[in-house]
Amino acid sequence: MSALRIAESGVPSVRGGTIAGGRRGFCLCSGKTIDCLDCDFFSKVRAISLSHIAENEYICCMIQRLVLSFLLILAGFSVQAQRPRVGLVLGGGGAKGAAEVGVLKAMEEAEIPIDYIAGTSIGSIVGGLYSVGYRSGDLDTLFRSQDWLALFAGRDSSFSHRIVQEADGITYLFGFPIRRSKGKPAGRKGFGLLNGDRIYRFLDSLVVHAPQGCTCAGQPPYACVAFDLRHQQEIVLDTGSMARNMRASMAIPGVFRPVVLDSLMLVDGGMINNLPIDVVRRMGADIVIAVDLTQNKHDDYRSPLGFLRQLGGMFKWLADRPDIRKYNENRRQADIYINPTLTGYGVTSFGREAITRMMEEGYAAARAVLTPAVVEGLKRQVYGSRTVNF
């Protein structure tokens, strides 16, 4: 395109030399012979060029910031992945599990991170619910508001005023289920006074309606312990239905019917591992905080029933008491050991006053162990010298 046509098209141009050369020529913008640097078109071109330079510099700066941010995030993930992990172990003990709620309250106040949770029996319930988003305040309300004995027994309060009542193929005695009709499939095997259906449905409802959902990526991995009666072995449950796993872990033999899972007949994990510190270690914990509800210790236990060992089965269990041996081994492996004083309380102490008192004892015991110096030392061990706000 000629310079004349460029001018006719309304686009300013310079004839007679290059703009950058500083030569004089006939400017179509003004119709005069002028220095190229004085041309309006050159000024516009220069302005546009400077604008592009500034824009490019801004884009480069933004890219640099994004790359730097990305590298910092990667570095953060790397530090997070490499830092020591904290595992929480919650032991079994029936109603005394209320003390574990008090311990959790103290840990929340101290802002102690929890990366893994393992529990047995009532500890499996408290730990399982905590792992899906329930916090100490939620568990406090839960412990105080439920009629736990009726819940465990499966009692239907609407039949409590009747001696015998049959409904949906189940016979109730003062509201307690005592028999299921032959035409009603039970789907269970094993002996137990209580079928545990109601507590299972209750736990399942709690898990499904958890505050943050049971699949929340921010929740710590969880496992609980059960005992297989058929094979006389410890079973760690960390997959499948959490409600079923908790129900199996708290199935006191002879009281609750076992949970049958494939070839396994599962009962209370306290029969083999009431303080599963070794379990949370295998999960990946480097530092273990253990909450032990056991009051009477047997450091040098020798079974008086050793003569039953040759009979096998549960007789061998009575002779060896592998639960006591493992308990003593595990207890010595805790980095931070919390053992609330619960003298006078038992596995069935579910009265409101007792629940309140045990929560207070758990909180006091945790505060006594988790002193500012201990908490600061724990955080330094976990996060190094960095300042951390959990």
Side-chain angles (χ1 to χ4, degrees), residues 98 100-109 126 130 133-144 359 363:
E100 294 174 334
V101 177
V103 173
L104 289 172
K105 179 182 178 182
M107 291 182 64
E108 289 173 1
E109 291 178 353
V126 175
Y130 200 82
Y134 290 89
R135 291 298 171 255
S136 62
D138 305 313
L139 297 173
D140 183 304
T141 301
L142 183 64
F143 263 89
R144 295 175 192 269
M359 286 183 183
Y363 179 78

Side-chain angles (χ1 to χ4, degrees), residues 85-90 114-119 127 131 219-225 234 236-239 242 276-288:
R85 298 290 177 169
V86 179
L88 173 65
V89 174
L90 301 174
I114 300 175
D115 299 301
Y116 302 98
I117 299 177
S131 75
Q219 299 304 330
Y222 159 81
C224 64
V225 175
E234 176 181 352
V236 176
L237 301 168
D238 55 6
T239 59
M242 179 176 287
I277 292 175
D278 56 330
V279 173
V280 85
R281 292 277 190 199
R282 290 196 298 269
M283 292 171 71
D286 303 295
I287 303 167
V288 176

